[in-house]
Amino acid sequence: MSRLSQREDAMAQSVGEALITLLERRGVDVVFGIPGVHTVEMYRGLDASTIRHITPRHELSAGFMADGYARATGRPGVCLLITGPGVTNAITAMAQARADSVPMLVISGVNRAETFGQEEGYLHELPDQGALMRQVAILSQTLFAPEDLPKVVDRAFAAMWAGRPGPVHIEVPLDVMHAPVALPEAGLVEVPKQAAGADAVAGAAEVLAQAKRPLILAGGGAVGAAEALVGLAEALDAPVVNTTNGRGILGGHPLRVPASPSSAPIRQMMAEADVILAVGTQFGPTDYDMYGDGGMPDLAHVIRIDCDAVQVTRGLIPDQAIIADAGCAVAALASALPGPLADRGGVARAAAARQAAFDALDLRHQSYVGVMDTIRAALPGARIVGDSTQVIYAGNMYADIDQPRGWFNAATGYGALGYAAPAAIGAALGDPQTPVVCLTGDGGLQFSIAELGSAVDEGVPVIFLVWNNNGYQEIEQYMIDKVITPVGVTPSAPDFVAVAQAYGMAGEALDGLDGLSDALRRAQAAGGPYLIDLRVD
């Protein structure tokens, strides 16, 4: 009998132990956290479980690691955090996950319920931790009674999948954490994927079948529907424009358009389309008006697919809406289309849009796109995880990524710095078969530079590529453009290679882009974490 079975046969466990058992039942295989006196009872359960525990250097990184894990795998990233500073440190990561619809489960301790709001000086005390967390979590719940544990966990997983995904929080008071509880043998409460309504699908299929110049916009919510979306795009002969979080959908396909809807040529393409099918995209400004110029065109007819009815009321109001899981809706649409449709010139339109979007970039940004091309050529199939830095901004405008989940960063939505290093580690732990390149700036890396040590501890073969331009050069240029004397944009950087080596990580420095391909291949051949300090002007 396995240790898990032995525990389940026992009369009772502590709530902390039982919580880990329920996570195991849910298929959780990795958790991120730093133990403390408010969470150690859960660690009693971890010791006997199959779940791998990863210790970052900071709770902010625990959240970003969980985010990267979730984006790479499509499964929730899970954090175990102490009350007070543990959860407040992770709030930034939760806000990023909420902005980008990333499923994340944050489980924390909290002081005994009778102390709530008393402010008598208990360790890690907050006036109302749950209220604070409800500002960033799509659901925050307190476990007051041990016997409620299974339904609280079921509710947490349902909240992450029933509508728009995002961060969910469970807090367990210290006295409840240690209380005994007997878990029922009943199976898990599973939330099925929301099917598309027949009338909504039929109406949308009729409009799409009659379209002469259809266009598909694919956002982050379409990543799980990538395979079905290929078939629908081919049936409609419709180009597919990827937002930042949808980049890589239709990777390598002649109908792909790996460019931002903020690009003038892509906006023109949208304006010329007679029907637009928008799948899992928020129509938020960081995707559709990246530079705040207000140039979003009027659109002829928009059909939105979204898993959240409320979300359809935000941003662009569609002419038609399908409220359903993206994969279910896309498959249903493809089945509802009448026989072979006429050639709509989709491949030629997509090719012209790709070229026009690239040509619209200035020479500096085209050179940055070349960096992404160099990475892809040197490391085929690699996933690029980015921070808010010059080359990532350029890639969000145009980057021809070859796979879904192959490109993500924190330069959209909430826009947090320090994301790339821990998120890349989380992605590598979640999907160890896919090479990972962490593309971060010298400023952004210093937010989470200690996570180089976490990469060494876990032996993850992440390649840390530091875009070292001696400060916050993107902000410096913005200030110059606004006729503001640059102030505060030149923080000094350490010798990154020396820091990596101090943690036991191999690394090298490059002056300029010459030799980058060979350096990337050396990094991959090293078989472990590796840092390349790419010094650029």
Side-chain angles (χ1 to χ4, degrees):
M1 182 181 294
S2 71
R3 287 186 293 176
L4 177 58
S5 299
Q6 290 172 345
R7 289 204 321 278
E8 290 179 342
D9 286 345
M11 289 296 294
Q13 306 166 272
S14 72
V15 165
E17 290 178 286
L19 189 58
I20 299 303
T21 298
L22 291 175
L23 293 180
E24 268 188 309
R25 290 181 182 179
R26 284 280 175 183
V28 173
D29 57 358
V30 178
V31 296
F32 306 92
I34 301 174
V37 296
H38 289 77
T39 57
V40 291
E41 191 62 27
M42 288 188 284
Y43 284 75
R44 188 193 308 277
L46 273 176
D47 178 62
S49 79
T50 59
I51 297 175
R52 181 179 181 181
H53 181 272
I54 307 298
T55 306
R57 270 46 177 182
H58 195 283
E59 288 93 355
L60 172 63
S61 294
F64 284 151
M65 286 180 183
D67 179 299
Y69 175 97
R71 296 199 205 210
T73 64
R75 304 191 302 272
V78 181
C79 298
L80 305 181
L81 304 178
I82 64 167
T83 186
V87 294
T88 56
N89 282 342
I91 280 177
T92 294
M94 294 176 68
Q96 185 73 51
R98 179 164 184 155
D100 288 345
S101 303
V102 176
M104 178 190 297
L105 177 58
V106 173
I107 302 172
S108 77
V110 69
N111 286 308
R112 298 190 312 277
E114 66 266 22
T115 72
F116 289 7
Q118 300 305 307
E119 297 190 68
E120 293 181 346
Y122 290 94
L123 180 65
H124 303 327
E125 184 179 47
L126 283 168
D128 191 338
Q129 178 172 283
L132 179 64
M133 297 301 278
R134 282 190 288 275
Q135 300 305 304
V136 291
I138 60 175
L139 173 69
S140 178
Q141 48 187 345
T142 305
L143 178 66
F144 289 107
E147 62 271 19
D148 290 341
L149 176 62
K151 68 181 180 182
V152 166
V153 172
D154 283 342
R155 191 180 301 130
F157 278 85
M160 285 187 286
W161 296 119
R164 182 185 178 198
V168 170
H169 171 236
I170 298 173
E171 63 178 10
V172 185
L174 195 56
D175 50 333
V176 178
M177 183 85 72
H178 292 83
V181 63
L183 291 180
E185 296 181 359
L188 306 173
V189 175
E190 297 290 353
V191 178
K193 293 181 178 180
Q194 186 176 0
D199 290 345
V201 169
E206 181 180 359
V207 171
L208 287 166
Q210 295 172 358
K212 299 295 189 289
R213 295 177 67 83
L215 178 67
I216 297 174
L217 304 176
V223 171
E227 185 174 345
L229 202 55
V230 172
L232 181 61
E234 290 176 345
L236 293 171
D237 194 22
V240 179
V241 174
N242 307 137
T243 68
T244 295
N245 288 328
R247 200 62 57 81
I249 294 174
L250 265 77
H253 195 285
L255 287 171
R256 77 195 186 283
V257 184
S260 170
S262 294
S263 169
I266 304 306
R267 286 175 167 178
Q268 181 178 348
M269 186 184 202
M270 293 164 63
E272 293 172 350
D274 55 353
V275 179
I276 288 178
L277 176 64
V279 185
T281 181
Q282 188 181 10
F283 283 100
T286 53
D287 275 318
Y288 289 85
D289 194 14
M290 190 181 298
Y291 294 108
D293 59 15
M296 179 74 171
D298 293 331
L299 305 178
H301 190 98
V302 177
I303 303 166
R304 283 185 71 172
I305 295 175
D306 203 287
C307 63
D308 186 353
V310 175
Q311 190 62 31
V312 174
T313 70
R314 300 180 178 125
L316 188 147
I317 304 300
D319 299 280
Q320 294 171 271
I322 301 175
I323 309 304
D325 169 77
C328 294
V330 169
L333 268 178
S335 297
L337 291 173
L341 300 176
D343 183 353
R344 284 97 177 274
V347 171
R349 291 164 56 210
R354 288 196 300 271
Q355 189 62 55
F358 181 79
D359 291 343
L361 300 173
D362 60 31
L363 292 178
R364 180 167 63 99
H365 284 84
Q366 287 182 0
S367 72
Y368 296 162
V369 173
V371 174
M372 264 75 75
D373 292 340
T374 298
I375 294 171
R376 292 178 57 241
L379 306 173
R383 172 177 288 121
I384 301 176
V385 181
D387 220 320
S388 295
T389 192
Q390 283 182 317
V391 69
I392 290 296
Y393 291 132
N396 285 349
M397 285 298 291
Y398 190 104
D400 201 355
I401 304 302
D402 54 11
Q403 60 181 319
R405 307 186 190 278
W407 171 273
F408 54 82
N409 55 76
T412 62
Y414 199 59
L417 267 174
Y419 171 87
I425 293 170
L429 288 164
D431 180 15
Q433 304 307 314
T434 301
V436 178
V437 176
C438 166
L439 187 46
T440 181
D442 56 300
L445 180 56
Q446 290 186 76
F447 275 59
S448 51
I449 194 168
E451 302 313 330
L452 298 179
S454 299
V456 172
D457 285 351
E458 303 304 329
V460 288
V462 174
I463 299 172
F464 297 91
L465 180 57
V466 185
W467 186 260
N468 189 346
N469 56 20
N470 297 303
Y472 303 131
Q473 198 172 100
E474 187 75 11
I475 301 302
E476 179 180 0
Q477 186 59 53
Y478 184 86
M479 296 174 83
I480 291 170
D481 292 343
K482 297 295 182 180
V483 197
I484 299 170
T485 302
V487 175
V489 292
T490 55
S492 60
D495 182 333
F496 289 109
V497 174
V499 173
Q501 291 173 342
Y503 278 114
M505 181 187 301
E508 61 181 281
L510 293 178
D511 290 316
L513 298 175
D514 291 344
L516 177 58
S517 293
D518 290 339
L520 289 167
R521 293 188 184 96
R522 285 193 295 272
Q524 186 176 47
Y530 196 96
L531 184 139
I532 301 171
D533 184 7
L534 184 60
R535 298 166 182 169
V536 295
D537 184 356

